[in-house]
């Protein structure tokens, strides 16, 4: 569960920027909020959050920060390689040479609050520290020793509660990464696994879609109960599909296949078919199957996203999606939000964070103002991220109408269409 993410000098976010999933104190739409009350932590969190903004406003950079930070933790770069996460704000002569900074506050193992911080430059980690709050008291889990320019190998030091053990770590790798393989640790390995369980999808990225199509198909093939839940979800979306058939492609005769066929099987070794009714006049007389790659793009998106949504709801985890509404009807996008906000369908309080251009979700009967975030880019290219709760508006405000009227910002500033077809020389004269 995420409380907040802070970024500074990352891509379009030049200044320190805070994205928060902490709910305000209003009693409006309490089903969209859940509370944690135990000896270790008290928090009031949102189940869903939506990020709006014009094209190129920087809204996707919030998702990218989550994605690249998670990747940096889970997959260590090779010794001496540059760090992919390092993408400073480029349109300022000072910022482009400064570190990128990240701070993530989350509810991790044993429903305990954690704060993880790091600062990086092109090929080295300058700072890294992890704190947690057992029994509500801030305690150091580890802290990276002060960076030494001349050393390829740096040191991390565990906190007092963990014996102040020193651990060597390469300059371009995170100390937290070591607890996924090199340094088994009862607490820190669980923290590492927390990041592995976060689902982050770019719905417009073909590589992401290929990866998740294979993973979803594998999950459904192995878990018949999960498959039946997805069939119900796809039927609820009015796709006219009443079942899904998934078979694994046997590679016994792979020696007879050409290279292109082998690559296709490697990408996704499953055959997927949507099962449809066949009619004679108005009567159902049988059924027939259609290869899933011939189904509509929207149906394929529901299959891919639906499989990951159901797994996330099952675990009570976190799902982050860039451009959730890609190829989906607004009613389907709204259905997905409602699934996460329902106590019945989301009993473990899974969270959903996503970007979209679908303004129909700005429905006061669906969301609260603290669930809506807007990204807006300045003339100098930096992004400001703010929430609707930063405005003096009530929960019964017609959010969609006000947003489209430009009262919250975050809209593209489109010039006169006629001016696009006028030569510069004519404009000057």
């Amino acid at each position: 569960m995420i409380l907040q993410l802070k970024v500074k000098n990352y891509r379009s976010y030049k200044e320190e920027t805070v994205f928060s999933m902490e709910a305000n104190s209003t009693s409006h739409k309490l089903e969209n909020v859940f509370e944690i009350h135990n000896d270790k932590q008290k928090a009031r969190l949102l189940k869903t959050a939506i990020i709006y903004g014009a094209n190129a406003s920087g809204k996707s950079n919030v998702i990218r920060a989550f994605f690249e930070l998670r990747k940096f933790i889970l997959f260590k770069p090779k010794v001496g390689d540059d760090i992919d996460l390092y993408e400073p704000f480029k349109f300022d002569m000072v910022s482009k040479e400064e570190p990128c900074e990240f701070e993530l506050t989350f509810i991790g193992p044993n429903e305990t609050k954690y704060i993880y911080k790091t600062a990086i430059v092109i090929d080295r980690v300058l700072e890294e520290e992890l704190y947690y709050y057992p029994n509500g008291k801030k305690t150091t889990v580890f802290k990276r020793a002060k960076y030494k320019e001349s050393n390829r190998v740096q040191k991390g030091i565990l906190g007092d509660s963990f014996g102040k053990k020193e651990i060597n770590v390469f300059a371009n790798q995170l100390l937290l990464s070591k607890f996924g393989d090199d340094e088994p640790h009862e607490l820190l390995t669980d923290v590492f696994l927390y990041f592995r369980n976060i689902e982050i999808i770019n719905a417009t990225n073909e590589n992401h879609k290929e990866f998740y199509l294979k993973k979803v198909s594998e999950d459904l093939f192995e878990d018949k109960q999960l498959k039946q839940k997805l069939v119900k979800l796809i039927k609820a979306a009015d796709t006219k599909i009443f079942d899904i058939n998934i078979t694994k492609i046997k590679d016994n005769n792979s020696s007879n296949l050409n290279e292109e066929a082998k690559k296709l099987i490697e990408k996704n070794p499953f055959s997927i078919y949507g099962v449809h009714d066949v009619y004679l006049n108005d009567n159902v007389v049988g059924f027939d199957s259609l290869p899933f790659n011939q189904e509509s793009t929207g149906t394929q998106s529901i299959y891919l996203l639906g499989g990951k949504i159901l797994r996330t709801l099952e675990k009570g985890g976190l799902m982050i999606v860039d451009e959730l509404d890609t190829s989906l009807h607004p009613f389907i996008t709204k259905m997905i939000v409602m699934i996460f906000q329902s106590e019945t369908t989301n009993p473990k309080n899974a969270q959903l964070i996503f970007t979209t251009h679908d303004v129909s979700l700005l429905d006061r009967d669906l969301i609260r103002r603290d669930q809506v975030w807007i990204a807006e880019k300045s003339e100098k290219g930096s992004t400001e991220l703010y929430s609707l709760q930063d405005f003096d508006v009530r929960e019964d405000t017609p959010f969609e109408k006000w947003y489209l009227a430009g009262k919250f910002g975050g809209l593209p500033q489109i010039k006169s269409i006629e001016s696009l077809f006028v030569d510069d020389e004519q404009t000057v004269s």
Side-chain angles (χ1 to χ4, degrees):
M1 301 169 191
I2 292 292
L3 277 74
Q4 69 174 24
L5 171 71
K6 288 183 185 178
V7 297
K8 183 178 180 182
N9 195 34
Y10 177 69
R11 292 180 67 82
S12 62
Y13 290 95
K14 177 185 174 185
E15 306 299 335
E16 182 176 273
T17 300
V18 178
F19 170 81
S20 176
M21 291 294 286
E22 295 187 77
N24 64 29
S25 60
T26 181
S27 59
H28 181 65
K29 299 207 67 64
L30 289 177
E31 65 271 23
N32 298 5
V33 174
F34 66 97
E35 297 185 354
I36 297 172
H37 285 292
N38 55 42
D39 293 338
K40 300 170 185 175
Q41 178 62 37
K42 290 181 173 62
R44 195 165 188 258
L45 302 176
L46 298 165
K47 296 178 184 177
T48 64
I50 312 170
I51 308 173
Y52 287 93
N55 292 328
S57 63
K59 61 184 183 297
S60 293
N61 288 337
V62 178
I63 310 300
R64 185 160 179 155
F66 277 114
F67 178 83
E68 292 294 343
L69 179 60
R70 175 185 179 275
K71 187 177 83 170
F72 189 28
I73 292 169
L74 298 182
F75 305 103
K76 294 180 288 192
K78 293 180 180 179
V79 179
D81 281 0
D82 290 347
I83 298 170
D84 290 342
L85 180 61
Y86 183 66
E87 294 188 78
F89 181 71
K90 289 183 177 293
F91 307 125
D92 179 90
M93 295 303 292
V94 176
S95 298
K96 67 192 302 183
E97 304 296 334
E98 293 292 305
C100 296
E101 300 177 28
F102 305 86
E103 178 181 315
L104 187 67
T105 305
F106 59 98
I107 304 296
N110 303 315
E111 288 200 333
T112 303
K113 178 180 174 181
Y114 290 78
I115 299 177
Y116 179 66
K117 301 180 181 181
T118 188
I120 60 171
V121 289
I122 190 167
D123 59 354
R124 57 193 185 276
V125 179
L126 300 182
E127 299 174 22
E128 185 186 8
E129 49 200 50
L130 178 67
Y131 303 95
Y132 78 143
Y133 290 74
N135 304 314
K137 184 179 178 182
K138 185 177 181 180
T139 304
T140 300
V141 180
F142 68 68
K143 197 168 185 177
R144 208 172 176 109
K146 187 174 180 180
Y147 180 80
K148 293 183 179 179
E149 185 77 36
S150 59
N151 292 358
R152 186 180 294 277
V153 177
Q154 306 292 315
K155 285 194 181 295
I157 305 167
L158 299 187
D160 293 348
S161 303
F162 305 98
K164 295 184 176 181
K165 181 181 177 180
E166 292 190 357
I167 299 172
N168 290 331
V169 58
F170 288 113
N172 67 333
Q173 296 178 0
L174 292 171
L175 182 62
L176 181 56
S177 302
K178 295 183 71 68
F179 298 99
D181 46 26
D182 301 342
E183 293 279 344
H185 187 279
E186 187 173 351
L187 175 69
L188 284 162
T189 299
D190 283 344
V191 175
F192 175 89
L193 291 173
Y194 166 87
F195 286 94
R196 176 176 286 173
N197 290 329
I198 297 174
E199 299 286 1
I200 307 175
I201 303 173
N202 182 334
T204 64
N205 185 296
E206 289 303 319
N207 290 331
H208 275 223
K209 288 164 73 173
E210 283 182 3
F211 172 81
Y212 279 103
L213 179 63
K214 180 179 179 180
K215 187 69 177 73
V216 166
S217 299
E218 185 178 298
D219 287 347
L220 297 174
F221 182 76
E222 295 175 354
D223 189 335
K224 303 307 178 187
Q225 188 175 7
L226 180 68
K227 194 194 103 170
Q228 288 309 310
K229 287 181 179 178
L230 182 60
V231 168
K232 288 182 180 179
L233 181 63
I234 287 177
K235 287 170 70 175
D238 195 26
T239 61
K240 310 306 180 189
I241 291 175
F242 74 83
D243 200 1
I244 299 171
N245 283 338
I246 304 174
T247 57
K248 193 164 187 179
I249 301 170
K250 299 186 183 300
D251 56 1
N252 298 339
N253 299 318
S254 60
S255 58
N256 299 325
L257 299 175
N258 60 37
E259 288 303 314
E260 185 176 353
K262 288 179 182 178
K263 287 179 180 178
L264 287 173
I265 292 175
E266 187 178 337
K267 281 184 179 179
N268 187 9
F270 297 94
S271 292
I272 312 157
Y273 291 84
V275 184
H276 297 255
D277 287 322
V278 173
Y279 291 82
L280 177 62
N281 297 322
D282 293 331
N283 300 314
V284 176
V285 295
F287 62 88
D288 204 347
S289 300
L290 185 69
F292 227 78
N293 60 9
Q294 294 181 29
E295 297 282 358
S296 72
T297 306
T299 300
Q300 293 179 49
S301 292
I302 296 169
Y303 175 88
L304 187 152
L305 291 170
K308 301 316 295 182
I309 286 169
L310 292 171
R311 273 291 188 230
T312 303
L313 294 170
E314 187 180 87
K315 296 183 296 185
L318 170 65
M319 184 169 178
I320 304 172
V321 186
D322 196 13
E323 306 286 4
L324 175 65
D325 55 319
T326 299
S327 303
L328 297 180
H329 189 280
F331 282 10
I332 306 302
T333 311
K334 185 173 288 190
M335 180 184 75
I336 292 170
V337 174
M338 292 171 68
I339 287 171
F340 274 86
Q341 294 183 167
S342 166
E343 293 180 3
T344 303
T345 52
N346 186 13
K348 293 187 179 179
N349 298 317
Q351 291 177 299
L352 172 67
I353 300 168
F354 64 96
T355 67
T356 185
H357 292 290
D358 182 359
V359 295
S360 70
L361 298 174
L362 289 170
D363 181 349
R364 59 193 174 190
D365 293 325
L366 178 70
I367 50 94
R368 300 152 45 103
R369 58 194 174 100
D370 54 1
Q371 292 176 264
V372 180
W373 290 80
I374 295 174
E376 187 163 52
K377 191 170 282 188
S378 73
E379 290 295 324
K380 294 182 178 180
S382 63
T383 298
E384 181 183 0
L385 185 71
Y386 49 89
S387 168
L388 285 196
Q389 67 177 334
D390 295 333
F391 294 83
D392 186 18
V393 294
R394 302 186 313 183
E395 293 291 356
D396 61 356
T397 299
F399 299 138
E400 179 181 355
K401 184 177 179 180
W402 281 37
Y403 176 67
L404 291 174
K407 294 187 177 183
F408 301 134
L411 292 174
Q413 302 300 312
I414 300 174
K415 296 180 180 180
S416 165
I417 298 298
E418 288 81 0
S419 67
L420 300 177
F421 298 92
V422 176
D423 293 337
D424 290 341
E425 291 181 5
Q426 289 179 277
T427 305
V428 173
S429 61

